Amino acid sequence: MFWAGILVTGWLGLVLVIAELIHAGFPNAKEWSRKVVHIGAGQVILIAYVLGVPTSWGIVAAAIAGVITLLSHWVPIFPSISGVGRQSWGTFFYAVSIGTLMALFWDRLPEVVVLGILVMAWGDGLAALVGIHWGQHPLLRTGKSWEGTLTMFWVSTLVAALSLSPIAAVELLWIAPLVGLGATLLELIAWRGIDNLTVPIGSALLGYGLLSLS
């Protein structure tokens, strides 16, 4: 497990360095630096999955990350995380989601944890970027765009299919799009960063429930 810790720490360090460089070099692209952290940080779940990181390690690491993100609200530890000009607890909820899902499923069905975290990382991350930069058609009374929402659905569906492929086959034809739809609806109704809590946990629970029915 020593090398797992080294890999996770090294990866997160690289993600933060890249985000800080974007933040410093392109002051008008703060959302891009934040999404680098958002998407990049989520990939640690793949490292944990491949290396079989123990549940206790994952929970402790998530707790440490949560404390750091809380401190970043008052101390500019990582401007690329908190310096987006709006108050949000999204990064803290991200850490809570990882710890919660690992506690619930890591020992019995880790693929569901991978699904929940990567739906949040890739689905929400890419949907936000597409919506902000290319969204031309507003989705009524949501403050979001059709372009971003469709990106969330298709990326979440693909992530669900890939995440569950080691343990499911034919079932993915109906499970993956339903997870994608559920994740999209959860993202639509979220506010002030709470989607970083509801989307990963909701997607994982939905995936687990649908697998149980198949």
Side-chain angles (χ1 to χ4, degrees), residues 134-165:
W134 297 286
Q136 300 295 322
H137 301 87
L139 193 57
L140 186 63
R141 292 189 293 183
T142 65
K144 304 187 181 190
S145 69
W146 278 104
E147 289 83 357
T149 299
L150 290 174
T151 299
M152 179 70 185
F153 171 74
W154 287 113
V155 173
S156 297
T157 299
L158 177 60
V159 166
L162 293 175
S163 299
L164 297 178
S165 60

Side-chain angles (χ1 to χ4, degrees), residues 49-158:
Y49 178 74
V50 171
L51 298 181
V53 169
T55 301
S56 57
W57 282 43
I59 294 173
V60 170
I64 293 172
V67 170
I68 292 173
T69 57
L70 280 179
L71 289 175
S72 71
H73 279 271
W74 297 283
V75 181
I77 303 173
F78 300 115
S80 60
I81 295 177
S82 55
V84 293
R86 56 187 173 92
Q87 184 69 23
S88 171
W89 295 96
T91 312
F92 171 69
F93 290 146
Y94 206 155
V96 171
S97 294
I98 293 175
T100 301
L101 287 178
M102 292 199 77
L104 289 174
F105 297 115
W106 194 247
D107 288 333
R108 51 178 171 167
L109 201 61
E111 291 80 8
V112 168
V113 183
V114 173
L115 181 157
I117 300 306
L118 293 188
V119 162
M120 187 67 242
W122 287 105
D124 180 77
L126 292 178
L129 291 176
V130 169
I132 290 171
H133 296 283
W134 297 286
Q136 300 295 322
H137 301 87
L139 193 57
L140 186 63
R141 292 189 293 183
T142 65
K144 304 187 181 190
S145 69
W146 278 104
E147 289 83 357
T149 299
L150 290 174
T151 299
M152 179 70 185
F153 171 74
W154 287 113
V155 173
S156 297
T157 299
L158 177 60

